[in-house]
């Protein structure tokens, strides 16, 4: 299967914007009027919850079940986690550089960009956009190492969120690392990664094996 081209990406993003369910938002109190540091506290809280949920879900799988795929094209739980790791890997370094370069500015109100909202729709819990080939799992049996990597990445994202406090998340822009024709702001990136986690952690939870006889 070929990787999507730019025309397909544009079509998918427009379809997500026009026809899919509303983009994934932070908790209800986090809207355009929320200040950046409060938004980041929400990101940190959600990440801590996601860590606990994924650890709990993973513990319910045997090693064999963890790597067991679902049909011809269905990813295993470990492959879902590997996919999250790949997505995180594309964003972390550009985000780190952006946080370092971001000017200090207190009281900034969070606002997501148009493309950030599109990606939240496409990649979040209600999203249906297909994964680009470069984000497909790297192996058929990633094993428990995929979970270790994800936990390490989650801790890195938690630190990045702490480091971003007091910075201007809205005016600090970066080129999307996967779709280079679009730019995003830092608030988009934090929200996108947490939303993407939510989509796929829920998939892992749905794959938890039932009680064994």
């Amino acid at each position: 299967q070929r990787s999507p081209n730019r025309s397909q990406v544009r079509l998918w993003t427009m379809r997500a914007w026009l026809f899919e369910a509303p983009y994934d938002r932070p908790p209800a109190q986090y809207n355009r009027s929320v200040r950046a540091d409060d938004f980041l506290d929400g990101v940190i809280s959600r990440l801590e919850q996601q860590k606990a949920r994924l650890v709990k879900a993973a513990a319910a799988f045997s090693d064999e079940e963890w790597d067991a795929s679902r049909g011809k094209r269905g990813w295993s739980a470990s492959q879902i986690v590997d996919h999250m790791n790949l997505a995180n890997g594309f964003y972390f370094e550009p985000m780190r550089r952006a946080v370092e370069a971001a000017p200090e500015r207190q009281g900034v109100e969070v606002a997501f960009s148009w493309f950030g909202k599109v990606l939240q729709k496409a990649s979040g819990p209600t999203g249906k956009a297909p994964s680009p080939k470069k984000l497909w799992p790297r192996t058929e049996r990633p094993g428990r190492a995929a979970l270790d990597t994800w936990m390490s990445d989650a801790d890195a994202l938690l630190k990045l969120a702490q480091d971003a406090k007091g910075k201007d998340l809205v005016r600090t822009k970066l080129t999307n690392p996967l779709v280079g024709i679009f730019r995003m702001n830092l608030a988009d990136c934090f929200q996108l990664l947490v939303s993407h986690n939510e989509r796929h952690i829920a998939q892992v939870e749905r794959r938890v094996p039932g009680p064994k006889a």
Side-chain angles (χ1 to χ4, degrees), residues 1-158:
Q1 186 173 352
R2 292 183 298 177
S3 182
N5 58 38
R6 287 190 176 187
S7 295
Q8 289 173 314
V9 169
R10 290 192 190 101
L11 179 62
W12 291 336
T13 54
M14 286 302 297
R15 180 179 182 274
W17 177 250
L18 293 170
F19 301 116
E20 296 296 337
Y23 67 89
D24 182 47
R25 295 178 181 270
Q29 68 268 31
Y30 298 136
N31 50 39
R32 188 180 173 86
S33 65
V34 73
R35 297 185 178 225
D37 284 3
D38 294 330
F39 165 75
L40 289 169
D41 283 338
V43 167
I44 290 166
S45 175
R46 295 173 80 192
L47 276 168
E48 293 287 10
Q49 293 169 19
Q50 288 172 348
K51 286 176 61 179
R53 286 169 53 200
L54 189 55
V55 167
K56 180 179 179 180
F61 292 83
S62 68
D63 289 347
E64 189 65 29
E65 290 166 338
W66 181 246
D67 278 329
S69 61
R70 293 168 60 92
K72 189 174 182 180
R73 294 188 177 182
W75 291 348
S76 66
S78 64
Q79 286 177 314
I80 292 171
V81 176
D82 191 46
H83 163 73
M84 287 194 287
N85 294 339
L86 285 166
N88 291 340
F90 276 96
Y91 280 90
F92 276 4
E93 184 57 24
M95 287 177 67
R96 185 191 64 77
R97 293 196 301 266
V99 168
E100 287 183 354
E104 293 189 4
R105 186 167 171 240
Q106 297 295 330
V108 174
E109 292 184 355
V110 168
F112 301 123
S113 71
W114 173 84
F115 188 61
K117 292 176 183 179
V118 167
L119 284 187
Q120 288 174 42
K121 280 187 177 182
S123 304
T126 61
K128 298 178 182 178
S131 298
K133 189 172 183 179
K134 61 181 68 175
L135 297 185
W136 290 1
R138 291 164 284 194
T139 176
E140 290 185 4
R141 299 179 68 85
R144 299 285 179 176
L147 178 62
D148 294 339
T149 298
W150 188 91
M151 294 298 292
S152 176
D153 285 350
D155 287 338
L157 188 57
L158 283 166

Side-chain angles (χ1 to χ4, degrees), residues 94-103 160 163-164 167 169 172 186 190:
M95 287 177 67
R96 185 191 64 77
R97 293 196 301 266
V99 168
E100 287 183 354
L160 202 57
D163 292 344
K167 302 283 185 88
L169 305 184
T172 304
L186 268 172
F190 281 110

